Amino acid sequence: MDKNAVMAGLKVYEGELKALRHDIHMHPETSYEEFRTSALVMEKLSAWGIQAEGTIAGTGVVATIKGSRPGQRAIALRADMDALNMDETNTFGHRSTIPGKMHGCGHDGHTTMLLGAARYLKENPDFAGTVHCIFQPAEEGGAGGKRMIDEGLFERFPSDAVYSLHNKPGLEVGKFITRKGPQLACADSWTVTFKGTGGHGGAPEKSTDTTIPLAHFILGLQSIIARNVPALDSAVLSIGIIRAGTSHNVIPAEIQVTGTSRCHKPEVRALLEKRLREIAQHCAAMSDCSAVVDYVQGYPPVINAPRETDTAIAAIAALVGSGNVDGDSPPINAADDIAYMLEKRPGCNVMIGNGKGPSFKNNHMPDYDFNDDILVLGAAYWVSLVHQELNAAT
Ligand SMILES: [Zn+2]
Ligand SMILES: [Zn+2]
């Protein structure tokens, strides 16, 4: 791959890509409602002569580009399209036009970068094999990636590997990070309901008191992290909601406590759930109460495969030099539903520096924005990755 030719080729589209990114940013759409965005993606692909299917998981789009040389290998490149339910405080011209909705995570940029790459690959199909570009709905909590899989994503678009790219505010423009193995956390939620008889605050001996198991449970919960999770593994258990009581002199008959658990390994995830259930039951039994545990598994951890991570690192190094990619960056406690695709196919999630400017502080902040200066570089990463994956023998 001639990196200068790729960058120059993509630079030709830069103005159009910026306009496209601004258009998507101005019209943010949340989970499974990405109708305008999906139609825009389909319109662009069609204008560039790229074959695409546009209704998988409702608004999801998959575009297929075949290389000019024969090859059996196929890879999938995934971008997310959805926005967040939040108000934007930016005042620039391309700010959100829809109250209460904002592209606060940069998925407008992810969609645009992949569109740029798709166009370039269609015009420069100098590779052996097939590339599927996945534009998925509902990454922000709606598990759009899982729904695409459930609707036959990898049967309809057979892929040997799957890759994704997410922007990283605070990381300099031109830098990339990734890591082999667990990279992003799982995000589970749970509610424990302690049930007793409740009773008169002045006569606790005549009731079973749910506040006592709650107190033991809160302390016991943190002993899972301190005493059960291996010291070199990471895990977090946090309580966000406690609901109980109606009056200072009434012992509550029911208490609900709700929280989240995060970790990076499937075995630690199973351990957290098992011990949380046990501690809740035993704390309840100590006070002659009962406990009902509702444990909801959210996104699984993002686990990058060794071979595909090496391939991604090589693709970045070919573009910006090995000094600009940290291939062993620390795990992050955010989640991403690319995890579902990575459970089905080996692959790698890469994060691209969004820069350190005041607008690029952090995802999900009301004054965040995707950095237009990385549109070409992000698209170039995709092209470099395709060459690395499908032109390795040449
Ligand atoms: Zn997000
Ligand atoms: Zn995101």
Side-chain angles (χ1 to χ4, degrees):
M1 182 193 74
D2 178 348
K3 72 171 182 182
N4 294 326
V6 172
M7 289 297 283
L10 286 162
K11 201 86 180 154
V12 173
Y13 316 146
E14 190 172 27
E16 204 176 326
L17 291 178
K18 278 185 189 177
L20 188 56
R21 210 279 293 178
H22 290 186
D23 187 353
I24 299 172
H25 191 92
M26 288 171 78
H27 303 94
E29 296 173 303
T30 45
S31 283
Y32 298 116
E33 293 173 356
E34 305 90 344
F35 299 109
R36 184 185 184 278
T37 312
S38 174
L40 188 60
V41 167
M42 286 294 283
E43 181 193 312
K44 291 294 172 188
L45 292 168
S46 166
W48 301 329
I50 299 169
Q51 176 199 330
E53 288 190 35
T55 55
I56 185 162
T59 51
V61 174
V62 181
T64 299
I65 305 157
K66 292 204 178 287
S68 58
R69 287 181 286 113
Q72 294 306 310
R73 193 163 169 81
I75 61 168
L77 316 179
R78 173 276 211 170
D80 37 20
M81 299 189 292
D82 58 319
L84 289 157
N85 286 305
M86 61 187 288
D87 280 312
E88 177 161 6
T89 58
N90 290 312
T91 54
F92 45 57
H94 64 273
R95 66 185 175 276
S96 170
T97 57
I98 302 171
K101 306 215 177 208
M102 173 191 176
H103 266 292
C105 205
H107 299 183
D108 48 343
H110 302 167
T111 298
T112 307
M113 290 188 292
L114 188 54
L115 278 172
R119 181 177 180 185
Y120 184 90
L121 290 167
K122 179 68 181 177
E123 291 178 7
N124 303 274
D126 178 27
F127 55 90
T130 304
V131 175
H132 298 299
C133 297
I134 301 170
F135 299 88
Q136 80 148 74
E139 191 287 319
E140 297 284 1
K146 181 176 186 303
R147 190 167 148 194
M148 289 189 94
I149 292 166
D150 292 344
E151 293 189 16
L153 176 68
F154 290 129
E155 289 74 35
R156 290 166 66 182
F157 307 96
S159 305
D160 297 301
V162 62
Y163 293 89
S164 60
L165 179 64
H166 203 292
N167 74 96
K168 177 94 177 118
L171 183 66
E172 281 171 54
V173 167
K175 304 260 186 202
F176 293 78
I177 59 171
T178 188
R179 67 176 282 114
K180 288 178 190 174
Q183 183 195 26
L184 303 181
C186 68
D188 296 341
S189 62
W190 43 265
T191 294
V192 177
T193 306
F194 291 108
K195 295 182 178 179
T197 63
H200 198 297
E205 74 280 6
K206 292 179 180 161
S207 67
T208 55
D209 182 353
T210 52
T211 66
I212 304 301
L214 173 71
H216 285 295
F217 175 75
I218 290 171
L219 295 175
L221 201 62
Q222 296 310 326
S223 75
I224 301 174
I225 309 296
R227 303 288 86 179
N228 300 136
V229 174
L232 296 179
D233 286 332
S234 61
V236 169
L237 282 161
S238 292
I239 291 170
I241 306 168
I242 295 174
R243 287 200 182 94
T246 53
S247 174
H248 73 280
N249 56 359
V250 175
I251 293 169
E254 190 170 301
I255 286 182
Q256 269 193 350
V257 52
T258 297
T260 186
S261 34
R262 309 253 166 148
C263 63
H264 293 89
K265 289 185 177 173
E267 59 270 30
V268 175
R269 187 187 202 190
L271 176 70
L272 294 181
E273 178 174 353
K274 175 177 175 286
R275 288 297 292 143
L276 185 144
R277 287 182 181 280
E278 289 169 354
I279 288 172
Q281 297 300 344
H282 294 156
C283 289
M286 275 168 62
S287 297
D288 205 17
C289 294
S290 64
V292 176
V293 180
D294 181 19
Y295 198 101
V296 180
Q297 292 207 336
Y299 293 174
V302 168
I303 299 178
N304 292 327
R307 178 203 165 274
E308 283 68 22
T309 307
D310 280 338
T311 303
I313 292 168
I316 299 164
L319 200 60
V320 292
S322 57
N324 286 310
V325 52
D326 180 353
D328 191 25
S329 65
I332 298 169
N333 250 2
D336 193 301
D337 84 341
I338 187 66
Y340 291 109
M341 295 188 194
L342 291 171
E343 283 185 337
K344 300 291 179 193
R345 294 291 182 277
C348 178
N349 177 60
V350 161
M351 306 191 90
I352 178 173
N354 197 49
K356 293 186 167 188
S359 305
F360 315 128
K361 279 182 228 159
N362 214 348
N363 310 97
H364 296 214
M365 288 182 75
D367 56 352
Y368 163 85
D369 194 24
F370 183 88
N371 189 346
D372 286 327
D373 289 345
I374 65 170
L375 284 170
V376 164
L377 184 61
Y381 161 68
W382 284 132
V383 173
S384 183
L385 182 67
V386 167
H387 280 270
Q388 201 67 38
E389 265 279 15
L390 303 180
N391 271 346
T394 63

